[in-house]
Amino acid sequence: MDAILQVDNLKTSFMTSGGEVQAVRGVSFQVKKGEILGIVGESGSGKSVTSMSILRLLADTAKIKEGAVYFENQDLTKISKRKIRAIRGEKISMIFQDPMSSLNPLIPVGKQVSEMMKEHHPEKSKEELKQNVLELFAKVRIPEPEKRYRCYPHEFSGGMRQRVMIAMALANHPELLIADEPTTALDVTIQDQILHQLRELKHEYGTSIIFITHDLGVVAELCDRVLVMYGGLIMEEAGIDDIFAHPGHPYTMGLLASIPDIEQDRSKRLQPIPGSPPDMTNPPAGCPFAPRCPYARRICREELPDFVEVGANHRSRCHLQTAGAPADEHNPFAGGKQS
């Protein structure tokens, strides 16, 4: 399966008064045609900054210091602002985490989606654009599209606003869709409907999707492959079945242990990962997860482990793997005990 996007050694930092925040510290991965790639990790792990770097939607204080992002045989980090604007919304679209802050509160939602289309298809008439928007609204299951076309964002629920964002992202049938935590703050029923629409998008148009979330349960339901990020690095990469059956990194194990189980004894508490994420203005020399890891040894704190193969299409960044330790035989977080 051919790759539609290739990210090589991407490094992105924020220049602040408190120093350089190294948000992404050398991330490499590819997205294959027609696949849904999940990127999972805690807040501050570098997930969203990675996605923003791909489309160069970074704040003025941010800088891509190194690396390349290849799409259609061109490096998106090097092309002109005019060329990247032509790609955004046309070939690569993004669904943002908070639809209320992403939609203009002063413009009817139908007009906002229409403007997205007109930016890339100026030849279309006003009536053509409106008809296209109404068709999109029907596709993402917004009821009474004609009436909703004239509504403002505040007249929609959170789930409906997210549907508008999905319609906007689909307006020009992109080849790649980046969904940055699109189900955050939505109830489980609406969340399931949004995930269903993304699956339909993949099957109907063959669209590739990068799905960013902190929820491994959602990843299990939607994605074909998953990257686990922590401290600005990819700690593990595997197919969706393999990551659940044979996690190769203690951080992945900790995330899995924190997922609620419907059959779990209700008298038992969920097991959080102890400690806090690293300070990215002064990232550790070794594995960024070492201070929170029950397996950590001196080498973990002193040397950053290589990203090595631990199985078929399965890679992990952990000294346990290079030392031959059976990291996936049991989950040290599952029982709530630290060794």
Side-chain angles (χ1 to χ4, degrees), residues 70-287:
Y70 294 105
F71 178 78
E72 293 188 340
N73 297 317
Q74 55 186 338
D75 183 356
L76 301 186
T77 68
K78 301 292 193 297
I79 63 177
S80 67
K81 290 183 178 179
R82 179 182 62 81
K83 286 184 177 179
I84 194 69
R85 278 199 302 268
I87 289 173
R88 291 182 199 139
E90 172 71 10
K91 296 185 176 182
I92 305 178
S93 287
M94 190 162 185
I95 304 172
F96 295 95
Q97 182 173 345
D98 183 2
M100 195 59 194
S101 61
S102 301
L103 293 168
N104 190 324
L106 303 178
I107 300 176
V109 294
K111 186 176 180 182
Q112 293 188 55
V113 179
S114 176
E115 287 176 348
M116 166 65 81
M117 289 183 175
K118 191 163 185 66
E119 175 70 23
H120 298 281
H121 297 282
E123 76 283 357
K124 288 191 175 184
S125 68
K126 188 175 181 180
E127 277 306 310
E128 281 181 300
L129 291 169
K130 181 177 180 181
Q131 189 58 41
N132 289 159
V133 173
L134 294 178
E135 290 171 1
L136 272 174
F137 279 7
K139 181 176 288 292
V140 298
R141 295 187 175 88
I142 294 176
E144 301 179 281
E146 184 81 41
K147 177 182 176 182
R148 295 291 189 171
Y149 183 92
R150 299 185 296 274
C151 291
Y152 290 85
H154 72 270
E155 299 178 83
F156 285 69
S157 66
M160 284 298 168
R161 286 195 292 267
Q162 196 59 280
R163 291 170 196 264
V164 173
M165 292 300 300
I166 293 174
M168 191 177 293
L170 303 184
N172 297 302
H173 305 301
E175 297 173 43
L176 175 64
L177 176 64
I178 302 173
D180 187 2
E181 303 202 33
T183 59
T184 298
L186 301 179
D187 66 60
V188 291
T189 303
I190 301 301
Q191 175 178 285
D192 184 66
Q193 292 171 0
I194 297 297
L195 297 181
H196 179 71
Q197 288 175 358
L198 292 176
R199 281 192 294 269
E200 283 188 341
L201 170 65
K202 170 190 170 180
H203 294 306
E204 185 171 350
Y205 297 110
T207 304
S208 302
I209 300 174
I210 298 176
F211 190 88
I212 298 168
T213 182
H214 61 273
D215 189 340
L216 269 171
V218 171
V219 166
E221 189 176 340
L222 181 70
C223 300
D224 304 306
R225 193 162 53 93
V226 61
L227 308 177
V228 179
M229 287 193 70
Y230 185 81
L233 297 167
I234 295 175
M235 309 308 286
E236 187 161 7
E237 175 185 1
I240 194 63
D241 294 330
D242 205 18
I243 203 90
F244 280 85
H246 305 290
H249 197 283
Y251 178 58
T252 308
M253 297 177 193
L255 292 177
L256 289 171
S258 65
I259 299 175
D261 186 346
I262 195 169
E263 297 180 357
Q264 181 177 321
D265 184 347
R266 294 189 180 185
S267 65
K268 293 184 178 180
R269 296 172 61 89
L270 288 176
Q271 296 300 327
I273 301 174
S276 301
D279 177 5
M280 300 311 292
T281 58
N282 185 29
C287 174

